[in-house]
């Protein structure tokens, strides 16, 4: 090995010979030294090289240059100090130390100086993307470098100007504000003038796009940050919002005089939103609410059917609670099944759970509910056990053996065998026909007044209004259909709606940060699944359904697409059709077998199972001497809401990767189950709140899945014969295992739902299973 040399050229000659002997290309050495010329400009590739200085030699010494390890000194010594020799190590030849006479050294290009030059040159030609990485290295490695502050300020200033020229207003404003925070004295008047100008254009664009919430937030922040600088844009837009608010307030007052309270309410709230401190703004809103209480609810799924116990239709469950009451209404989950309230009084079971006694107590009920008669109640209980009746429910028929009237206020149901929760079998809609009215007539406090594509209006019934002594109960509840989650949030923040009934999880997190908004989780989750709904030759095959499930990356869709990579307790992929509970201790998870893991995403196995299904179908057709079936496209239906659409678009793209042809079918507004022969699978968000009865409602021959599978049928029958909670749990776990194997439905995931409302609305409640569960108590406070 060569040691310290007196002549760096001689050393390089010997090193070159050694390198040649080891068959390394000579061109490789040109990257770190040369005997003439200058090094090539590597561009951004410079940052991939080890930090180094470049020593240039005089023409008198023969010229040339060398890339050397960073020298101990970081600026060129004075002429007087440059005596003797310079010792250095060339990149790639660190085992050798070289020397050169100082008189042979022309100059040294130091690493940090070169980085600064790269930044300055790129800024000068407006290559800010290229300048940024060099500037980042300087900030990281040389934070106290003289001139770095000016260089960084120049980068931010010129980049902001360039972005402003290309209408990137938001980005330009962000850079200008970063510049002002970093060095408030740098071209202060010019920077503040630019901030004002960019703000003006950005505010105008946001107002033109009706992004008023964002515009107001921006204006409020700028007022806090730059209130001492008297920016023209802040004054202008503060005045502009006041002007718009005054116009809305004048229109609201005119609408009050015309007794158009719906318009007055909307305009008054818009005025207050535009200028929260507008004179008498709160008083005007309060006055209108006192004259005509009205509450608007933003919904992602509009209702066209009304059924408070509809399992597969979120909107029908929600809105149905306004129109109808149930004989037994679920209030929440308890350690042993759900908690149910008897609409007309109290319900008791005897100690051995073989009798269910119903006692009427109608003193606190409003009309027409207070008109219930014991024989009418007994008649409806009987009809629920008769196969020819519209309200027939086979689990109730299997459970009850006799129904008797013991007094004008008391009825008794004798059960065939002990039942753990007989009240859950009687979630029966109570309509006006129970009281001599029209069949299907409402019995709740509201009726449907009008329906269009954007709004559904529910009006307070005259009977409910008479019963409301202080006239503070909402006269109207108006459901406003929102196009997307972001649209819904914008409406809530602007005051256009008072409540959002269903939130995207990420929106729920964001809204929790707003002081004027309250976000509450529903205590019971929804179970998302795909349900076969046609006689598609392949979907009827268990192997093919497994292929479909293996072909869906459920973790990726749930966590990436729906939860936006944020963590939400209780949201998880499922292996069966029952809820897993929100935690390990949650009693709602009594039907879920945690030892059965969800099938993973395995596209290669999915393809194999598709081919297996084809081969089996072909072999069967050949045996029957029939033409083999063709694998036709899969029609996947979904409700007209954003969450379902996002999930199904992701499922479609993943199925296409395993060679399947898929067509998406959006259902009409308010519909959640397709008409016959219009789809093969349907995406369903189901309320499986009481697995004891919901298992048949979902999996039975007359349920959503319409399963004729013998094992599923056996599991359902054994469940309904259970005598105690241990047997119920054991048989539900068996049914979970059967469903996992037979796949009558394709389980996807469990979602924790939440709602949000403005804090000016009271009486909502915190443990409600349905939005309108406490609608009787809703009041607008100011």
């Amino acid at each position: 090995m060569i040691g310290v040399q007196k002549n760096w050229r001689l050393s390089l000659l010997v090193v070159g010979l050694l390198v040649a002997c080891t068959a390394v290309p000579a061109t490789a050495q040109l990257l770190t030294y040369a005997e003439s010329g200058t090094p090539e400009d590597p561009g951004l590739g410079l940052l991939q090289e080890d930090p180094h200085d470049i020593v240039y030699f005089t023409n008198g010494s023969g010229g040339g240059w060398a890339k050397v390890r960073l020298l101990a000194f970081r600026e060129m010594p004075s002429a007087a100090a440059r005596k003797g020799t310079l010792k250095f190590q060339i990149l790639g030849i660190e085992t050798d130390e070289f020397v050169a006479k100082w008189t042979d050294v022309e100059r040294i290009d130091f690493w940090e100086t070169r980085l600064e030059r790269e930044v300055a040159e790129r800024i000068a030609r407006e290559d800010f993307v290229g300048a940024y990485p060099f500037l980042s290295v300087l900030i990281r490695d040389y934070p106290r470098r003289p001139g770095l502050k000016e260089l960084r300020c120049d980068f931010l200033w010129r980049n902001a100007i360039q972005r402003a020229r290309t209408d990137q207003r938001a980005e330009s404003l962000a850079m200008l504000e970063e510049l002002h925070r970093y060095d408030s004295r740098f071209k202060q008047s010019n920077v503040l003038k630019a901030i004002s100008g960019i703000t003006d254009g950005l505010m105008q664009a946001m107002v033109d796009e009706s992004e008023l919430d964002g515009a107001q937030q921006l204006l409020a922040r700028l007022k806090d940050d730059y209130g001492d600088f008297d920016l023209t844009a802040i004054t202008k837009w503060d005045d502009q919002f006041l002007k718009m608010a005054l116009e809305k307030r004048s229109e609201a007052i005119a609408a009050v005089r015309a007794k158009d309270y719906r318009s007055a309410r909307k305009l008054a709230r818009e005025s207050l939103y535009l200028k929260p401190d507008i004179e008498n703004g709160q008083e005007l809103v309060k006055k209108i609410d006192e004259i005509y209480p009205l509450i608007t609810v933003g919904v992602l799924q509009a209702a066209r059917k009304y059924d408070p116990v509809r399992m597969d239709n979120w909107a029908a469950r929600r809105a149905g609670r306004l129109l109808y009451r149930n004989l037994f209404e679920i209030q929440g989950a308890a350690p042993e099944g759900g908690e149910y309230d008897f609409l007309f009084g109290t319900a008791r079971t005897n100690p051995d759970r073989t009798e269910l006694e119903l006692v009427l107590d109608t003193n606190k009920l409003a009309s027409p509910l207070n008109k219930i008669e014991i024989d009418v109640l007994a008649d409806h209980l009987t009809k629920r056990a008769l196969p020819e009746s519209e309200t027939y429910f086979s689990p109730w028929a299997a459970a009850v053996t006799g129904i008797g009237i013991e007094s004008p206020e008391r009825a008794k149901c004798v059960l065939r065998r002990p039942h753990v929760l007989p009240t859950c079998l009687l979630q029966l809609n109570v309509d006006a026909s129970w009281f001599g009215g029209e069949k299907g007539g409402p019995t709740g406090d509201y009726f449907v007044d009008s329906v269009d594509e954007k709004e559904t209006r529910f009006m307070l019934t005259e009977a409910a209004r008479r019963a409301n002594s202080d006239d503070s109960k909402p006269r109207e509840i108006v459901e406003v259909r929102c196009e997307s989650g972001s649209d819904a949030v914008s409406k809530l923040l602007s005051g256009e709606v008072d409540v959002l009934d269903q939130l995207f999880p990420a929106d729920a997190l964001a809204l929790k940060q707003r002081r004027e908004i309250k976000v509450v989780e529903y205590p019971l989750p929804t179970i998302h699944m795909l349900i076969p709904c046609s006689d598609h030759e392949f979907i009827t095959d268990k192997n093919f359904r497994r292929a479909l499930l293996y072909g869906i990356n459920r973790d990726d869709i749930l966590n990436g697409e729906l939860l936006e990579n944020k963590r939400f307790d209780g949201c998880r992929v499922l292996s069966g059709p029952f809820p897993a509970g929100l935690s390990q201790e949650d009693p709602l998870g009594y039907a879920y077998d945690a030892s059965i893991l969800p099938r993973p995403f395995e596209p290669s196995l999915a393809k194999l199972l598709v081919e297996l299904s084809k081969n089996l179908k072909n072999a069967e057709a050949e045996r029957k001497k029939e033409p083999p079936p063709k694998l036709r496209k899969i029609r996947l239906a979904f409700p007209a809401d954003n969450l379902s659409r996002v999930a199904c678009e992701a499922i479609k793209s993943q199925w296409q990767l395993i060679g399947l042809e898929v067509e998406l079918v959006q259902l009409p507004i308010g519909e959640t189950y397709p008409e016959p022969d219009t789809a093969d699978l349907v995406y369903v968000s189901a309320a499986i709140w009481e697995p004891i009865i919901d298992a048949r409602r979902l999996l039975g021959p007359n349920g959503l899945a319409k399963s004729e599978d013998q094992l599923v049928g056996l599991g359902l029958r054994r469940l309904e014969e259970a005598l105690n909670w241990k047997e119920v749990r054991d048989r539900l776990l068996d049914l979970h295992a059967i469903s996992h194997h037979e796949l009558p439905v394709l389980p996807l995931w469990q979602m924790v739902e939440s709602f949000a409302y403005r804090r000016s609305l009271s009486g909502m409640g915190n443990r409600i299973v349905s939005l309108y569960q406490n609608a009787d108590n809703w009041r607008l406070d100011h």
Side-chain angles (χ1 to χ4, degrees):
M1 226 18 106
I2 300 175
V4 176
Q5 302 293 324
K6 292 183 179 180
N7 186 298
W8 83 282
R9 290 181 175 281
L10 177 60
S11 301
L12 291 180
L13 176 62
V14 175
V15 169
L17 291 173
L18 291 174
V19 169
C21 292
T22 57
V24 176
T27 55
Q29 301 305 313
L30 296 179
L31 295 174
T32 55
Y33 68 87
E35 297 185 15
S36 62
T38 58
E40 294 182 5
D41 182 3
L44 289 173
L46 177 64
L47 297 177
Q48 297 177 350
E49 300 181 14
D50 291 336
H52 60 273
D53 301 326
I54 303 179
V55 179
Y56 290 90
F57 297 94
T58 62
N59 290 331
S61 67
W65 55 271
K67 293 183 179 180
V68 305
R69 287 291 177 190
L70 295 180
L71 299 169
F73 52 89
R74 302 315 301 153
E75 61 181 22
M76 195 70 172
S78 65
R82 295 198 298 270
K83 295 179 180 180
T85 59
L86 171 67
K87 296 180 180 180
F88 54 89
Q89 290 179 311
I90 298 177
L91 291 185
I93 321 176
E94 285 83 353
T95 54
D96 297 295
E97 189 175 56
F98 299 87
V99 295
K101 294 179 181 179
W102 266 113
T103 55
D104 291 340
V105 176
E106 179 181 290
R107 62 187 175 91
I108 300 175
D109 195 0
F110 292 97
W111 175 250
E112 55 268 42
T113 304
R114 191 173 181 192
L115 293 177
E116 291 171 343
R117 189 168 63 250
E118 288 284 349
V119 173
E121 290 175 354
R122 291 171 187 273
I123 289 175
R125 59 176 185 265
E126 297 191 345
D127 177 16
F128 299 105
V129 173
Y132 180 76
F134 292 99
L135 182 59
S136 297
V137 173
L138 278 170
I139 294 171
R140 182 193 68 195
D141 296 341
Y142 304 94
R144 295 180 178 82
R145 177 80 175 164
L148 177 59
K149 188 173 185 179
E150 290 76 9
L151 192 63
R152 185 175 179 181
C153 288
D154 194 43
F155 172 86
L156 291 169
W157 172 244
R158 291 173 179 265
N159 197 356
I161 293 173
Q162 182 204 49
R163 290 179 182 274
R165 287 200 304 264
T166 56
D167 289 332
Q168 299 179 60
R169 296 187 184 93
E171 295 84 352
S172 178
L173 180 60
M175 288 194 164
L176 289 169
E177 291 196 87
E178 171 64 20
L179 172 58
H180 184 71
R181 284 191 295 269
Y182 179 63
D183 186 358
S184 61
R185 292 175 295 179
F186 179 85
K187 298 184 179 181
Q188 187 182 83
S189 61
N190 289 339
V191 171
L192 291 174
K193 184 178 179 180
I195 288 175
S196 181
I198 295 297
T199 297
D200 187 30
L202 187 58
M203 291 288 292
Q204 186 65 60
M206 295 173 80
V207 170
D208 291 343
E209 294 294 328
S210 297
E211 297 177 6
L212 297 181
D213 182 62
Q216 285 187 314
Q217 289 185 50
L218 174 61
L219 183 61
R221 183 180 62 76
L222 292 176
K223 286 171 69 175
D224 288 341
D225 293 346
Y226 303 97
D228 296 335
F229 295 102
D230 192 26
L231 297 189
T232 304
I234 292 178
T235 303
K236 171 186 173 181
W237 283 100
D238 209 26
D239 293 343
Q240 187 70 20
F241 274 114
L242 176 59
K243 180 182 177 181
M244 290 189 291
L246 288 171
E247 290 174 354
K248 294 287 186 182
R249 190 181 70 176
S250 297
E251 294 174 15
I253 293 172
V256 170
R257 290 172 180 159
K259 296 186 177 181
D260 181 3
Y261 299 115
R262 293 175 180 173
S263 299
R265 180 185 187 278
K266 181 175 183 293
L267 291 165
R269 277 169 165 73
E270 288 177 353
S271 171
L272 192 62
Y273 176 64
L274 288 166
K275 192 69 174 173
D277 58 352
I278 188 173
E279 186 179 0
N280 296 324
Q282 289 281 3
E283 291 77 4
L284 179 59
V285 169
K286 182 178 181 180
K287 177 183 176 182
I288 294 170
D289 285 342
E290 288 174 349
I291 296 172
Y292 194 85
L294 182 152
I295 293 174
T296 53
V297 179
V299 301
L300 296 176
Q301 302 180 50
R304 296 295 182 267
K305 298 176 180 178
Y306 309 99
D307 184 352
V309 295
R310 177 75 179 263
M311 175 190 292
D312 64 318
N313 192 319
W314 174 282
R317 284 196 310 276
R318 177 194 68 236
R321 180 60 177 78
L322 283 178
L323 271 62
Y324 299 106
R325 301 298 301 272
N326 282 129
L327 188 60
F328 280 87
E329 295 174 335
I330 187 169
Q331 303 299 315
E336 293 188 338
E339 294 179 330
Y340 295 86
D341 282 351
F342 177 43
L343 177 61
F344 298 116
T346 58
R348 296 188 291 263
T349 55
N350 63 344
D352 62 2
R353 295 180 180 270
T354 57
E355 293 180 355
L356 174 63
E357 185 179 61
L358 306 179
V359 181
L360 300 183
D361 181 8
T362 59
N363 292 330
K364 296 181 180 180
L365 294 176
S367 178
L369 299 179
N370 59 4
K371 299 176 182 177
I372 187 64
E373 296 179 359
I374 196 68
D375 58 330
V376 174
L377 174 61
D379 185 43
H380 282 282
L381 295 176
T382 303
K383 287 181 179 179
R384 192 158 177 79
L386 299 178
E388 64 273 16
S389 169
E390 292 181 1
T391 60
Y392 173 71
F393 189 49
S394 59
W396 173 247
V400 69
T401 188
I403 299 171
I405 297 175
E406 297 195 329
S407 74
E409 291 82 26
R410 193 183 305 271
K412 181 181 290 187
C413 304
V414 180
L415 305 181
R416 198 179 307 275
R417 62 180 71 86
H419 196 284
V420 293
L421 198 61
T423 53
C424 75
L425 305 175
L426 294 172
Q427 295 182 64
L428 182 63
N429 277 351
V430 176
D431 67 12
S433 66
W434 286 47
F435 315 99
E438 180 183 358
K439 183 176 177 60
T443 52
D445 289 340
Y446 293 84
F447 66 92
V448 178
D449 178 60
S450 64
V451 179
D452 61 33
E453 190 171 334
K454 293 185 178 180
E455 291 185 352
T456 302
R457 291 187 175 273
F458 300 92
M459 298 289 294
L460 189 66
T461 64
E462 191 61 34
R465 186 174 177 183
R466 285 196 302 269
N468 182 29
S469 57
D470 61 358
D471 210 28
S472 61
K473 196 168 186 176
R475 301 275 190 89
E476 294 184 29
I477 294 179
V478 182
E479 292 192 346
V480 179
R481 183 170 178 261
C482 303
E483 295 296 330
S484 64
S486 59
D487 177 42
V489 169
S490 177
K491 283 181 167 62
L492 180 68
L493 294 176
S494 68
E496 187 174 341
V497 301
D498 303 296
V499 186
L500 293 184
D501 86 307
Q502 188 180 21
L503 301 171
F504 269 83
D507 291 335
L509 277 183
L511 287 173
K512 285 180 180 178
Q513 310 305 315
R514 302 296 293 247
R515 287 178 296 178
E516 73 275 23
I517 304 298
K518 174 75 171 176
V519 176
V520 182
E521 289 183 354
Y522 293 105
L524 303 177
T526 53
I527 310 303
H528 297 240
M529 63 190 77
L530 300 180
I531 297 180
C533 54
S534 77
D535 57 355
H536 190 289
E537 296 91 336
F538 282 84
I539 293 179
T540 57
D541 177 22
K542 180 170 56 181
N543 291 312
F544 189 79
R545 293 197 299 274
R546 287 178 186 161
L548 294 179
L549 205 54
Y550 279 120
I552 304 174
N553 192 338
R554 291 178 286 171
D555 272 312
D556 185 63
I557 297 175
L558 174 62
N559 296 307
E561 299 284 346
L562 304 183
L563 302 183
E564 299 182 17
N565 295 313
K566 296 179 175 64
R567 177 180 173 82
F568 295 90
D569 292 337
C571 296
R572 54 176 294 182
V573 173
L574 297 177
S575 62
F578 304 128
L582 305 185
S583 66
Q584 290 184 345
E585 297 78 24
D586 192 341
L588 184 65
Y590 69 84
Y592 191 84
D593 189 344
S595 68
I596 300 177
L597 301 179
R599 287 183 171 86
F601 175 55
E602 294 189 11
S604 57
L605 179 55
K607 289 182 181 179
L608 182 64
L609 287 170
V610 169
E611 292 305 314
L612 173 63
S613 181
K614 287 180 180 179
N615 291 338
L616 292 175
K617 293 285 185 185
N618 291 341
E620 183 181 359
E622 185 177 349
R623 187 173 62 255
K624 295 180 179 180
K625 298 182 179 180
E626 297 175 350
K630 181 183 178 182
L631 177 53
R632 53 189 173 92
K633 67 182 177 184
I634 298 171
R635 298 167 297 176
L636 175 57
F638 61 91
D641 68 87
N642 250 22
L643 188 143
S644 301
R645 181 184 300 107
V646 168
C648 288
E649 285 175 350
I651 291 171
K652 173 185 176 180
S653 64
Q654 292 176 3
W655 279 349
Q656 287 175 331
L657 292 176
I658 62 173
L660 300 177
E661 185 181 355
V662 184
E663 175 189 353
L664 294 182
V665 179
Q666 179 172 304
L667 298 173
I669 293 175
E671 298 290 338
T672 56
Y673 203 87
E675 294 293 328
D677 199 31
T678 60
D680 304 305
L681 289 165
V682 59
Y683 181 95
V684 167
S685 166
I688 311 294
W689 293 344
E690 195 65 83
I692 300 174
I693 61 165
D694 290 340
R696 180 168 288 278
R697 295 174 66 202
L698 173 65
L699 303 174
N702 297 318
L704 290 175
K706 298 178 173 56
S707 175
E708 300 288 348
D709 187 282
Q710 293 184 359
L711 286 176
V712 172
L714 176 61
L716 291 172
R717 289 191 298 274
R718 293 188 69 244
L719 170 64
E720 289 157 3
E721 293 169 357
L723 300 179
N724 54 58
W725 273 107
K726 183 182 184 308
E727 289 187 4
V728 167
R729 291 190 180 97
D730 290 344
R731 293 175 185 183
L732 277 168
L733 296 184
D734 290 342
L735 193 54
H736 180 168
I738 292 170
S739 299
H740 179 72
H741 185 267
E742 300 296 312
L743 290 178
V745 300
L746 277 63
L748 297 175
W749 42 74
Q750 171 179 284
M751 291 283 285
V752 177
E753 308 286 355
S754 56
F755 64 95
Y757 61 94
R758 302 185 67 82
R759 292 186 184 272
S760 57
L761 180 61
S762 65
M764 294 292 297
N766 290 321
R767 296 291 296 173
I768 56 175
V769 300
S770 179
L771 184 70
Y772 298 128
Q773 183 173 319
N774 290 338
D776 291 349
N777 301 323
W778 287 10
R779 298 294 185 272
L780 285 166
D781 300 326
H782 297 279

